Structures are given as C-alpha cells and as structure tokens.
Amino acid sequence: MKIVCVESLGIGRETFDALAAHYSALGHVFHYYLDRRENEATLIERMADAEVVVVSNIKLPAPVLSQCPHLRYLSVGFTGLDHIDLGYCQAHGIAVQNAAGYSTTAVSELAVGMMLDLMRGVTALDGTLRQGKSRGAFLGRELRGKTVGIVGTGAIGIATARLLLAFGAKVVAYSRSHRPEVEALGIAYLPLEALLRQSDIVSLHTPLTDATRHLIGIPELALMKPTALLINTARGPVCDINAVANALQNGTIAGAAFDVFEQEPPLPSTHPLLGAPHCLLTPHVAFATEESFAARADIVFAHVDQWLQQQ
C-alpha cells in the first residue's frame, strides 16, 4: 500500500527515513513531506494515490477527499476530528482514527498556566516593567481556595482538575456524562448554570459538536461573577467570540484566555478578541510541546501499523 504523511508532524527527516525503511520492509511505499501546505490543490497532489494518509489538523473537506479514490484509512495526529469531513469518510468507507491522549499533559498545563498568568498579571506586568513602570497598586490573586469549574471531563478536563486540586483549588464540573473517577476525586458535578454562577474560573475542555457550539454565549457569560475568568483551550466555536469580547469590554467578566479560535491563526486584525481588555491570547499552541509531538508520532504510526495488520 501507499502511505503518505502530508506534513512534518514536528518530527525530523531521520525519523521519517526510519519509518520509510520500516514500511518498505513490510512491502509498502511510504512518502513524507517536511513542510505544511494547507491549500487544497497541494493536498490533492500529495494524497491522490494514497491508500493511507497521516495528517494532523489540516482541514480535509469533501472536495479534497473526493479526489483521493484509493484512500481507505486516515490516521489523524490530533484529538479532535471536526476538521475532517467524517460524513464523506463514512459514506465512502474511509476509516478515521484520532490520536487521543498525546497532548493531555500539554493542554492541561497550559490551561493552568493561563489561569496563573491572568491571576498574577504575568504578561501584563512584563509590559509594565518594560515601559519603565512599577507594579503600582497591582494585587494578584492566588489559585488556592478558588472555585474552578471544569466544563467537559474527558482526559484533558480530568488532568486539569488534578493539577488544580494540587494547587488547593476547589473544583466543580459539568459534563453531559458523569465519570466515576471524577467523583472519586471529590469533584461534584453541577448543572452548567450553577457551575457558571459559583466559579471564580471557568475552564473549557469540551469537543466541538452541534451541542457545544456557542455553549458559552451572552446568557452564560451573564451568569458568571464579574471577577471570574474564562479559559478556552478546547475549540474556538465553543464560545461566542463576539459575546466574550463584549463581556470583557463591559466588565461582565474580569478576564479571559484563549488558545483556540473559530479559525486557525494568524487572526485578522479585526478579530474582536485582539482589542478586548484583560484577554490573554496564544496561537493554538496548547498541544505543541516536544514531548507531546514525540508521543503523537508514536501513536499515529502505531495506529497505521495496527490497521495494516488487520487488512
């Protein structure tokens, strides 16, 4: 079979050459690319003859997939699959498998790091100092004793909760399904409205589905404390971005941190969060660590090997 990795996945040529030798020994052809191209024409060119494709979070809509008549399996180096046209894949017998778990630690650590940054003013005070100023009347806040609402208790939500408990925070949770390991940590599940009212920090860890799109909008933001913080390392459209920007402008909430947006960065200069006060932004990097990328490569090619063995 022809196996194509359409991007670098953050690993080097030496690793790819070893993979090529591995698949050649098994009677397969392996091609890889060390750059990332997201335009449809290039993707079609790279994937057209492949039976197996490895990709991360590059969008693969039906117009691209329809030009790949031999495609049978997608090994996706990403947790979410909302960038893949799963309906097309299902209709055409293309198996799709994600790389769940590779970035659990990376994302949970950044989520907590964003909380600490906002509460202690790390990024803001760096700018203050560089302008030749002192702290003035600034007073930070501590995580210890704060109530943090975890929205979504999958692996990343649970990992974030464990870190917060180690800081001495009180953690509550909301999820459509209740997990016994969460309750075993002493974490109570609450209705979303109650969580929003009680929490000093709300941290989002849900996948993007029809049910979670704009899960946090004007009504939900209005329920939050005016001193509360909103952290989104999940998916951008889980929040109504305009509603969040307005809530920050109006003082409905005290601050927000976003690593994800309704589109992949770079963002247009008119993006509402760019001009919002007390808003910490990173360009979708929560998953991107040396350790997580190494784990991702192991997972996606282990999945390829398992699928090939089943054929």
Side-chain angles (χ1 to χ4, degrees):
M1 291 190 183
K2 183 175 181 179
I3 305 162
V4 176
C5 184
V6 299
E7 56 178 306
S8 74
L9 292 179
I11 59 179
R13 186 183 299 275
E14 184 176 327
T15 300
F16 274 127
D17 286 343
L19 286 165
H22 164 71
Y23 289 118
S24 178
L26 295 174
H28 305 294
V29 175
F30 179 73
H31 288 177
Y32 64 86
Y33 296 87
L34 295 175
D35 60 347
R36 179 184 171 98
R37 300 289 183 86
E38 299 186 35
N39 67 83
E40 294 187 1
T42 302
L43 290 170
I44 291 169
E45 181 182 351
R46 292 180 175 185
M47 296 170 52
D49 298 328
E51 292 154 291
V52 175
V53 166
V54 177
V55 66
S56 66
N57 63 335
I58 295 176
K59 288 186 178 181
L60 293 183
V64 172
L65 296 170
S66 64
Q67 299 302 307
C68 306
H70 306 292
L71 185 60
R72 297 174 58 194
Y73 176 69
L74 282 170
S75 184
V76 182
F78 213 62
T79 303
L81 294 173
D82 47 278
H83 58 295
I84 307 289
D85 190 327
L86 296 178
Y88 181 92
C89 291
Q90 184 175 13
H92 293 82
I94 302 169
V96 183
Q97 191 170 14
N98 71 344
Y102 82 94
S103 63
T104 297
T105 297
V107 177
S108 61
E109 286 186 357
L110 184 68
V112 175
M114 286 177 148
M115 298 174 200
L116 292 168
D117 189 309
L118 287 174
M119 297 184 79
R120 300 304 298 271
V122 177
T123 298
L125 290 172
D126 176 85
T128 296
L129 184 66
R130 293 176 189 277
Q131 292 169 17
K133 302 176 183 178
S134 67
R135 77 170 180 89
F138 175 83
L139 283 177
R141 292 188 288 164
E142 298 176 4
L143 263 178
R144 184 174 181 268
K146 298 299 184 293
T147 298
V148 184
I150 299 292
V151 179
T153 54
I156 295 173
I158 293 174
T160 305
R162 290 182 184 276
L163 292 175
L164 291 164
L165 290 171
F167 274 93
K170 176 186 176 182
V171 180
V172 294
Y174 165 77
S175 182
R176 295 179 66 186
S177 58
H178 294 190
R179 299 181 62 168
E181 59 265 46
V182 172
E183 295 171 318
L185 293 170
I187 297 171
Y189 278 103
L190 301 176
L192 181 60
E193 293 80 5
L195 179 146
L196 294 172
R197 287 191 179 98
Q198 293 183 24
S199 296
D200 298 298
I201 304 169
V202 174
S203 190
L204 305 177
H205 301 282
T206 64
L208 179 61
T209 66
D210 289 341
T212 63
R213 185 177 296 275
H214 286 193
L215 181 69
I216 304 298
I218 294 174
E220 292 75 24
L221 292 161
L223 295 174
M224 295 173 64
K225 299 177 182 181
T227 55
L229 305 175
L230 176 65
I231 312 296
N232 189 5
T233 55
R235 289 291 181 269
V238 170
C239 292
D240 180 337
I241 297 296
N242 288 307
V244 174
N246 288 334
L248 291 167
Q249 294 283 1
N250 298 333
T252 304
I253 60 174
F258 275 69
D259 181 59
V260 287
F261 309 91
E262 68 283 6
Q263 65 185 83
E264 283 298 307
L267 301 178
S269 60
T270 56
H271 192 281
L273 290 182
L274 292 177
H278 312 297
C279 190
L280 176 66
L281 305 175
T282 52
H284 200 184
V285 297
F287 66 98
T289 65
E290 294 177 3
E291 295 85 354
S292 69
F293 274 25
R296 177 174 69 172
D298 290 342
I299 291 169
V300 296
F301 290 108
H303 286 168
V304 170
D305 288 347
Q306 291 165 7
W307 185 83
L308 290 171
Q309 290 169 8
Q310 294 166 4
Q311 303 313 302

